[in-house]
Amino acid sequence: ITDDYAEALNAHISGDFEQAIFRAQSVLGWKRSAAAHRIIGLAQEGAGNAEAAVAAHKSARKINKNQPEAQAGDEINLASAYVAFGDNESALAAYERAFALKPDWLTAPLGIISVLNRQGRQTDLHQFLTELLAADTGVASNVVFLDHLENDTDFIGVKNIVERIKKNKELQS
């Protein structure tokens, strides 16, 4: 890790978005770096610059096109930026791409559930949850997932849907 990269990361963590962007851009002056683009995207998001945040996350994703794990992370960052700026449809598409790349990660399905639930798309939400639980990846028993069901306002009503799906699954067994 270069000094500029470390300073960019520290500046972002401390909320100095302008310095984070400056330091990460100086890394890009001499190196093609998805990590620097990620920091710029997160800092631009923190500073409220929607277009710049999205563009930076897309640049990171493009660099990582042959690395599914890194690309999934970039899709999640991109989705987060879209959510922050109210573009739920684009956020949903990015979360779905991340989920396709890394179905064993929790962040993407949690994002999909959150967006669908906030949009009131109960039929789509029920379908997604049914498929997620049928895949038997351990999501339904994951403590982080269960915590979101209990405590996250974006998940109001989702717990009831999950419980109905589980009951139907048990009845069919």
Side-chain angles (χ1 to χ4, degrees), residues 4 25 39 52 126 128 149 168:
D4 281 330
Q25 285 175 332
I39 291 173
H126 191 277
F128 178 74
L149 292 182
N168 285 340

Side-chain angles (χ1 to χ4, degrees), residues 109-111 113-114 117 145 148-149 152-159:
L110 288 172
I113 293 165
S114 177
N117 201 43
F145 179 74
H148 278 284
L149 292 182
D152 191 332
T153 57
D154 283 347
F155 285 71
I156 293 172
V158 175
K159 182 178 179 182

